[in-house]
Short mmCIF file of all heavy atoms in Angstrom, two decimals:
data_model
loop_
_atom_site.label_atom_id
_atom_site.label_comp_id
_atom_site.label_asym_id
_atom_site.label_seq_id
_atom_site.Cartn_x
_atom_site.Cartn_y
_atom_site.Cartn_z
N ASP A 30 9.29 6.93 -4.85
CA ASP A 30 10.53 7.10 -4.12
C ASP A 30 11.10 5.79 -3.60
O ASP A 30 12.29 5.56 -3.65
CB ASP A 30 10.30 8.07 -2.97
CG ASP A 30 11.57 8.42 -2.24
OD1 ASP A 30 12.56 8.76 -2.92
OD2 ASP A 30 11.58 8.36 -0.99
N ASN A 31 10.26 4.93 -3.10
CA ASN A 31 10.73 3.71 -2.45
C ASN A 31 9.64 2.65 -2.55
O ASN A 31 8.47 2.96 -2.43
CB ASN A 31 11.04 4.01 -0.97
CG ASN A 31 11.79 2.90 -0.30
OD1 ASN A 31 12.50 2.14 -0.94
ND2 ASN A 31 11.62 2.78 1.01
N VAL A 32 10.03 1.41 -2.77
CA VAL A 32 9.09 0.29 -2.83
C VAL A 32 9.64 -0.84 -1.98
O VAL A 32 10.79 -1.23 -2.11
CB VAL A 32 8.89 -0.21 -4.28
CG1 VAL A 32 7.92 -1.39 -4.31
CG2 VAL A 32 8.40 0.90 -5.19
N VAL A 33 8.78 -1.35 -1.08
CA VAL A 33 9.16 -2.49 -0.24
C VAL A 33 8.17 -3.61 -0.53
O VAL A 33 6.96 -3.42 -0.42
CB VAL A 33 9.12 -2.12 1.26
CG1 VAL A 33 9.42 -3.34 2.12
CG2 VAL A 33 10.09 -0.98 1.56
N ASN A 34 8.68 -4.78 -0.91
CA ASN A 34 7.86 -5.96 -1.20
C ASN A 34 8.04 -6.99 -0.10
O ASN A 34 9.16 -7.29 0.30
CB ASN A 34 8.28 -6.59 -2.53
CG ASN A 34 7.99 -5.69 -3.70
OD1 ASN A 34 6.85 -5.34 -3.96
ND2 ASN A 34 9.03 -5.29 -4.42
N VAL A 35 6.92 -7.54 0.38
CA VAL A 35 6.95 -8.58 1.40
C VAL A 35 6.07 -9.73 0.93
O VAL A 35 4.90 -9.52 0.61
CB VAL A 35 6.43 -8.05 2.76
CG1 VAL A 35 6.40 -9.16 3.80
CG2 VAL A 35 7.27 -6.87 3.24
N LYS A 36 6.62 -10.92 0.87
CA LYS A 36 5.84 -12.09 0.47
C LYS A 36 4.88 -12.47 1.59
O LYS A 36 5.24 -12.49 2.76
CB LYS A 36 6.78 -13.26 0.17
CG LYS A 36 6.08 -14.43 -0.47
CD LYS A 36 7.08 -15.27 -1.24
CE LYS A 36 6.46 -16.49 -1.84
NZ LYS A 36 5.38 -16.25 -2.75
N VAL A 37 3.63 -12.74 1.21
CA VAL A 37 2.60 -13.11 2.17
C VAL A 37 2.09 -14.50 1.79
O VAL A 37 1.38 -14.64 0.79
CB VAL A 37 1.44 -12.09 2.17
CG1 VAL A 37 0.35 -12.52 3.13
CG2 VAL A 37 1.94 -10.70 2.49
N GLY A 38 2.48 -15.49 2.53
CA GLY A 38 2.07 -16.86 2.20
C GLY A 38 2.65 -17.28 0.86
O GLY A 38 3.53 -16.63 0.30
N PRO A 39 2.13 -18.35 0.30
CA PRO A 39 2.70 -18.86 -0.95
C PRO A 39 2.32 -18.04 -2.19
O PRO A 39 3.02 -18.05 -3.18
CB PRO A 39 2.14 -20.27 -1.05
CG PRO A 39 0.88 -20.23 -0.25
CD PRO A 39 1.12 -19.25 0.86
N ASP A 40 1.19 -17.31 -2.12
CA ASP A 40 0.70 -16.63 -3.32
C ASP A 40 0.49 -15.13 -3.17
O ASP A 40 -0.03 -14.49 -4.07
CB ASP A 40 -0.65 -17.24 -3.75
CG ASP A 40 -0.51 -18.70 -4.12
OD1 ASP A 40 0.55 -19.07 -4.67
OD2 ASP A 40 -1.45 -19.47 -3.85
N GLY A 41 0.88 -14.56 -2.04
CA GLY A 41 0.57 -13.15 -1.80
C GLY A 41 1.79 -12.25 -1.82
O GLY A 41 2.92 -12.69 -1.62
N LEU A 42 1.52 -10.98 -2.08
CA LEU A 42 2.56 -9.96 -2.08
C LEU A 42 1.99 -8.69 -1.48
O LEU A 42 0.97 -8.17 -1.94
CB LEU A 42 3.04 -9.67 -3.50
CG LEU A 42 4.13 -8.61 -3.65
CD1 LEU A 42 5.43 -9.07 -2.98
CD2 LEU A 42 4.38 -8.30 -5.11
N GLU A 43 2.63 -8.20 -0.43
CA GLU A 43 2.28 -6.91 0.15
C GLU A 43 3.35 -5.91 -0.28
O GLU A 43 4.55 -6.19 -0.16
CB GLU A 43 2.24 -7.00 1.68
CG GLU A 43 1.91 -5.66 2.32
CD GLU A 43 1.91 -5.73 3.83
OE1 GLU A 43 1.23 -6.61 4.40
OE2 GLU A 43 2.61 -4.89 4.44
N ARG A 44 2.91 -4.78 -0.81
CA ARG A 44 3.85 -3.75 -1.24
C ARG A 44 3.54 -2.44 -0.55
O ARG A 44 2.39 -2.04 -0.42
CB ARG A 44 3.78 -3.52 -2.75
CG ARG A 44 4.30 -4.67 -3.53
CD ARG A 44 4.53 -4.32 -4.97
NE ARG A 44 3.28 -4.08 -5.68
CZ ARG A 44 3.21 -3.75 -6.96
NH1 ARG A 44 4.31 -3.58 -7.65
NH2 ARG A 44 2.05 -3.58 -7.54
N THR A 45 4.59 -1.77 -0.10
CA THR A 45 4.48 -0.41 0.39
C THR A 45 5.21 0.46 -0.62
O THR A 45 6.41 0.27 -0.87
CB THR A 45 5.12 -0.26 1.79
OG1 THR A 45 4.47 -1.17 2.68
CG2 THR A 45 4.97 1.16 2.30
N ILE A 46 4.47 1.40 -1.20
CA ILE A 46 5.01 2.26 -2.26
C ILE A 46 4.99 3.70 -1.75
O ILE A 46 3.92 4.22 -1.40
CB ILE A 46 4.17 2.12 -3.54
CG1 ILE A 46 4.14 0.65 -3.98
CG2 ILE A 46 4.70 3.02 -4.64
CD1 ILE A 46 3.08 0.35 -5.01
N SER A 47 6.15 4.32 -1.70
CA SER A 47 6.25 5.71 -1.25
C SER A 47 6.20 6.63 -2.46
O SER A 47 6.98 6.48 -3.40
CB SER A 47 7.56 5.93 -0.49
OG SER A 47 7.59 5.11 0.66
N ILE A 48 5.26 7.57 -2.41
CA ILE A 48 5.02 8.49 -3.51
C ILE A 48 5.39 9.91 -3.07
O ILE A 48 5.08 10.30 -1.94
CB ILE A 48 3.52 8.48 -3.91
CG1 ILE A 48 3.04 7.07 -4.25
CG2 ILE A 48 3.23 9.49 -5.01
CD1 ILE A 48 3.60 6.49 -5.50
N ILE A 49 6.01 10.67 -3.97
CA ILE A 49 6.23 12.10 -3.73
C ILE A 49 5.67 12.86 -4.93
O ILE A 49 6.01 12.56 -6.08
CB ILE A 49 7.73 12.45 -3.56
CG1 ILE A 49 8.34 11.69 -2.40
CG2 ILE A 49 7.89 13.96 -3.35
CD1 ILE A 49 9.83 11.93 -2.22
N ILE A 50 4.81 13.83 -4.63
CA ILE A 50 4.28 14.72 -5.66
C ILE A 50 4.97 16.07 -5.48
O ILE A 50 4.86 16.69 -4.41
CB ILE A 50 2.75 14.88 -5.52
CG1 ILE A 50 2.05 13.54 -5.67
CG2 ILE A 50 2.24 15.90 -6.54
CD1 ILE A 50 0.57 13.58 -5.37
N TYR A 51 5.68 16.50 -6.51
CA TYR A 51 6.34 17.80 -6.50
C TYR A 51 5.45 18.80 -7.22
O TYR A 51 4.95 18.52 -8.31
CB TYR A 51 7.68 17.73 -7.23
CG TYR A 51 8.68 16.80 -6.60
CD1 TYR A 51 8.76 15.46 -6.97
CD2 TYR A 51 9.56 17.27 -5.61
CE1 TYR A 51 9.67 14.60 -6.39
CE2 TYR A 51 10.48 16.41 -5.03
CZ TYR A 51 10.54 15.08 -5.42
OH TYR A 51 11.44 14.24 -4.84
N TYR A 52 5.26 19.96 -6.60
CA TYR A 52 4.50 21.03 -7.25
C TYR A 52 5.42 22.24 -7.41
O TYR A 52 5.95 22.76 -6.43
CB TYR A 52 3.26 21.42 -6.45
CG TYR A 52 2.54 22.58 -7.07
CD1 TYR A 52 1.85 22.41 -8.27
CD2 TYR A 52 2.57 23.84 -6.50
CE1 TYR A 52 1.21 23.48 -8.88
CE2 TYR A 52 1.92 24.90 -7.10
CZ TYR A 52 1.25 24.72 -8.28
OH TYR A 52 0.61 25.77 -8.89
N PHE A 53 5.60 22.65 -8.66
CA PHE A 53 6.41 23.82 -8.99
C PHE A 53 5.45 24.98 -9.23
O PHE A 53 4.73 24.98 -10.24
CB PHE A 53 7.26 23.54 -10.23
CG PHE A 53 8.20 22.39 -10.06
CD1 PHE A 53 7.83 21.11 -10.46
CD2 PHE A 53 9.44 22.57 -9.46
CE1 PHE A 53 8.69 20.03 -10.28
CE2 PHE A 53 10.31 21.50 -9.27
CZ PHE A 53 9.93 20.22 -9.69
N PRO A 54 5.39 25.96 -8.30
CA PRO A 54 4.42 27.04 -8.41
C PRO A 54 4.69 27.96 -9.61
O PRO A 54 5.77 27.94 -10.19
CB PRO A 54 4.56 27.78 -7.10
CG PRO A 54 5.94 27.47 -6.62
CD PRO A 54 6.27 26.10 -7.14
N THR A 55 3.69 28.76 -9.92
CA THR A 55 3.75 29.66 -11.07
C THR A 55 4.96 30.60 -11.01
O THR A 55 5.68 30.76 -11.99
CB THR A 55 2.45 30.50 -11.14
OG1 THR A 55 1.34 29.60 -11.15
CG2 THR A 55 2.42 31.38 -12.37
N ASP A 56 5.17 31.21 -9.85
CA ASP A 56 6.28 32.16 -9.67
C ASP A 56 7.24 31.60 -8.63
O ASP A 56 6.83 31.34 -7.49
CB ASP A 56 5.73 33.51 -9.24
CG ASP A 56 6.78 34.61 -9.14
OD1 ASP A 56 7.96 34.31 -8.88
OD2 ASP A 56 6.40 35.78 -9.33
N LYS A 57 8.48 31.42 -8.98
CA LYS A 57 9.44 30.81 -8.05
C LYS A 57 9.81 31.73 -6.89
O LYS A 57 10.43 31.28 -5.93
CB LYS A 57 10.69 30.34 -8.78
CG LYS A 57 11.51 31.42 -9.40
CD LYS A 57 12.71 30.82 -10.10
CE LYS A 57 13.54 31.90 -10.76
NZ LYS A 57 14.71 31.35 -11.39
N ASN A 58 9.42 33.01 -6.95
CA ASN A 58 9.74 33.95 -5.88
C ASN A 58 8.53 34.36 -5.05
O ASN A 58 8.68 34.78 -3.91
CB ASN A 58 10.41 35.20 -6.46
CG ASN A 58 11.71 34.86 -7.14
OD1 ASN A 58 12.55 34.14 -6.59
ND2 ASN A 58 11.88 35.33 -8.36
N ASP A 59 7.34 34.26 -5.61
CA ASP A 59 6.12 34.67 -4.92
C ASP A 59 5.12 33.51 -5.00
O ASP A 59 4.31 33.44 -5.92
CB ASP A 59 5.55 35.94 -5.56
CG ASP A 59 4.34 36.47 -4.84
OD1 ASP A 59 4.15 36.13 -3.65
OD2 ASP A 59 3.56 37.22 -5.46
N TYR A 60 5.17 32.63 -4.01
CA TYR A 60 4.42 31.38 -4.12
C TYR A 60 3.65 30.97 -2.87
O TYR A 60 2.95 29.97 -2.88
CB TYR A 60 5.37 30.23 -4.48
CG TYR A 60 6.55 30.12 -3.53
CD1 TYR A 60 6.44 29.50 -2.29
CD2 TYR A 60 7.79 30.64 -3.88
CE1 TYR A 60 7.51 29.42 -1.43
CE2 TYR A 60 8.87 30.56 -3.02
CZ TYR A 60 8.72 29.94 -1.79
OH TYR A 60 9.79 29.86 -0.94
#
């Protein structure tokens, strides 16, 4: 969903990665 990169010193990279897992159930009415 979203990625934020922050440089850390001359050789480093800190990344925050936002993940979303969508689950589509078997029955869209009874789940």
Side-chain angles (χ1 to χ4, degrees):
D30 186 48
N31 191 27
V32 179
V33 176
N34 294 299
V35 177
K36 189 157 177 58
V37 178
D40 297 326
L42 180 65
E43 179 182 308
R44 291 194 291 179
T45 302
I46 303 166
S47 298
I48 305 291
I49 301 177
I50 300 172
Y51 297 91
Y52 176 71
F53 300 94
T55 305
D56 185 332
K57 65 180 179 178
N58 298 312
D59 184 21
Y60 53 80

